[in-house]
């Protein structure tokens, strides 16, 4: 690859972690630039890179791309010739489905409602909104049911061949499970729980896991 990769992100961001995890799984060399979307400098620095002022953003030479799923597609194709994308149509479709489920239905209740309130707010000394946690758990229930069925099916999420779906889902469920309510809900999902435990045995997870001592928003 003639041009260097440059990832702009925010350390605690779950979506920044998704990209860093994929890059680690691919063994990619890249430059990481930390930008705080909530600091004055960050708010000024991001709009030229991302029209909505969010992270992560990937630059490869003079090509810049944002939106996490698109970034993952690009680096997998560019770095590894699609190694993390299944060839079989059914497995490839399931991979895309997992990513779609996570983005459309999983991120908000699991991360923003449950994790951010139960874990992040407590770390920050802020009041916890129990009603918001309860609402998040209710919304997360059908997401877990859908993901459990996919993990049990075995086309993807088998912790043997890591796909883009694994990279997209591990950070979400890891943050969710840091809340006691999330951990308990995952215990009722044996296939998903087995997959997550196996993924956590991979050094790429511990090597890229964020420091949670900072704010958790401003993501895409």
């Amino acid at each position: 690859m003639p041009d260097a990769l440059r990832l702009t992100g925010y350390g605690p961001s779950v979506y920044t972690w998704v990209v860093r995890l994929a890059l680690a799984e691919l063994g990619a060399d890249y430059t990481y630039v930390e930008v705080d979307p909530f600091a004055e400098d960050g708010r000024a620095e991001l709009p030229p890179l991302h029209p909505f002022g969010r992270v992560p953003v990937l630059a490869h030479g003079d090509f810049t791309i944002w939106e996490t799923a698109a970034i993952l597609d690009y680096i997998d194709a560019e770095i590894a010739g699609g190694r993390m994308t299944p060839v079989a149509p059914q497995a490839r479709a399931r991979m895309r489905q997992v990513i779609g489920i996570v983005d459309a239905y999983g991120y908000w209740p699991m991360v923003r409602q449950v994790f951010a309130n139960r874990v992040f707010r407590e770390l920050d000394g802020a009041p916890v909104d129990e009603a918001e946690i309860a609402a998040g758990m209710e919304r997360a229930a059908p997401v877990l049911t859908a993901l459990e069925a996919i993990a049990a099916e075995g086309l993807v999420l088998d912790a043997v061949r890591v796909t883009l779906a694994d990279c997209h889902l591990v950070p979400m469920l890891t943050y969710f499970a840091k809340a006691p309510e999330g951990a308990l809900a995952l215990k009722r999902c044996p296939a998903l729980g087995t997959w997550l435990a196996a993924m956590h045995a991979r050094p790429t997870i511990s090597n890229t896991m964020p420091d949670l001592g900072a704010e958790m928003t401003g993501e895409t």
Side-chain angles (χ1 to χ4, degrees):
M1 200 185 311
D3 297 313
L5 290 168
R6 174 187 169 103
L7 176 65
T8 299
Y10 178 48
S13 156
V14 71
Y15 279 112
T16 297
W17 185 14
V18 169
V19 177
R20 296 189 76 172
L21 177 56
L23 288 166
E25 287 287 343
L26 291 169
D29 292 325
Y30 66 98
T31 300
Y32 177 71
V33 179
E34 177 81 1
V35 175
D36 183 347
F38 309 101
E40 185 176 348
D41 289 350
R43 287 193 296 269
E45 188 174 346
L46 282 172
L49 300 175
H50 190 306
F52 303 106
R54 296 187 173 189
V55 292
V57 179
L58 183 79
H60 181 207
D62 59 1
F63 177 72
T64 299
I65 187 166
W66 38 271
E67 294 301 319
T68 301
I71 293 172
L72 263 57
D73 270 342
Y74 179 75
I75 60 176
D76 183 37
E78 183 70 14
I79 295 170
R83 174 165 57 88
M84 295 180 73
T85 299
V87 174
Q90 291 184 348
R92 187 170 63 247
R94 284 287 188 247
M95 182 194 79
R96 302 289 184 209
Q97 187 177 32
V98 169
I99 292 171
I101 289 168
V102 169
D103 286 343
Y105 312 111
Y107 167 69
W108 191 268
M110 291 180 177
V111 177
R112 296 297 291 271
Q113 291 184 291
V114 176
F115 167 78
N117 271 279
R118 178 62 72 209
V119 179
F120 179 70
R121 285 192 175 213
E122 288 187 355
L123 286 173
D124 201 39
V128 174
D129 188 335
E130 297 290 349
E132 191 74 359
I133 292 171
M137 290 303 301
E138 183 176 358
R139 292 176 64 185
V143 176
L144 292 174
T145 298
L147 293 172
E148 171 69 9
I150 291 172
E153 178 187 51
L155 288 174
V156 293
L157 305 183
D158 62 5
V160 176
R161 178 186 176 179
V162 175
T163 73
L164 300 180
D166 297 271
C167 295
H168 221 85
L169 184 56
V170 164
M172 302 285 175
L173 288 187
T174 300
Y175 274 22
F176 181 62
K178 288 183 180 295
E181 297 90 343
L184 181 61
L186 277 171
K187 285 183 179 179
R188 296 191 285 268
C189 302
L192 206 55
T194 298
W195 161 81
L196 187 61
M199 289 298 297
H200 271 266
R202 301 179 71 86
T204 51
I205 306 295
S206 57
N207 290 344
T208 58
M209 192 173 295
D211 175 5
L212 296 179
E215 245 177 326
M216 261 288 308
T217 50
E219 306 161 357
T220 64

